[in-house]
Amino acid sequence: MRITKNDVRLLTNEATYNGGYTIPLADVLGRYVVGGLKTVTAKIGDALSQAEIIAERLGESGAAQTLGSWAHDGTVYFDLGDTWDSEADAMRVARERGELAIWDTWTNREVATA
């Protein structure tokens, strides 16, 4: 699936005003989302005007199952990820990728990897 500038705009707005958002890119998803397949960042004030550039940097989603966003210290992070049914497997993969947390889609909560 090709990531579009409209995807980036939605994710930017959700990260800016609601803390983050995840778009499913696959029909079947596991419970736990692990990011880190590919990450692109932009300053919050620039992300909407650079939506097309950000979408090009993200490119084809390939094997990614999700595209998520979050904001921290004035920066929006756009992150391609995959999903896992097992929390143990998700944690292992997240730690291998250097991720600080995974997302539990059933409880809508972040789970720290450390």
Side-chain angles (χ1 to χ4, degrees):
M1 175 180 176
R2 187 113 189 103
I3 307 304
T4 70
K5 63 182 177 184
N6 289 332
D7 295 330
V8 172
R9 287 180 178 141
L10 170 66
L11 290 166
T12 298
N13 286 329
E14 289 294 331
T16 302
Y17 299 109
N18 298 314
Y21 193 70
T22 300
I23 297 172
L25 302 176
D27 292 332
V28 178
L29 300 175
R31 176 177 177 172
Y32 301 97
V33 177
V34 180
L37 291 175
K38 185 173 191 177
T39 303
V40 174
T41 63
K43 294 292 180 195
I44 287 177
D46 298 333
L48 287 175
S49 64
Q50 295 179 357
E52 193 163 352
I53 294 167
I54 294 165
E56 287 175 14
R57 287 183 186 157
L58 288 166
E60 293 289 335
S61 61
Q65 295 175 297
T66 63
L67 173 58
S69 67
W70 73 95
H72 180 72
D73 287 341
T75 299
V76 180
Y77 296 80
F78 304 92
D79 201 19
L80 290 170
D82 49 15
T83 65
W84 302 84
D85 291 317
S86 160
E87 182 177 3
D89 289 341
M91 287 296 219
R92 177 184 49 77
V93 170
R95 288 182 184 116
E96 289 171 0
R97 293 181 188 163
E99 295 294 297
L100 300 176
I102 61 174
W103 185 257
D104 183 338
T105 63
W106 290 7
T107 63
N108 286 320
R109 295 186 192 273
E110 185 178 90
V111 181
T113 58

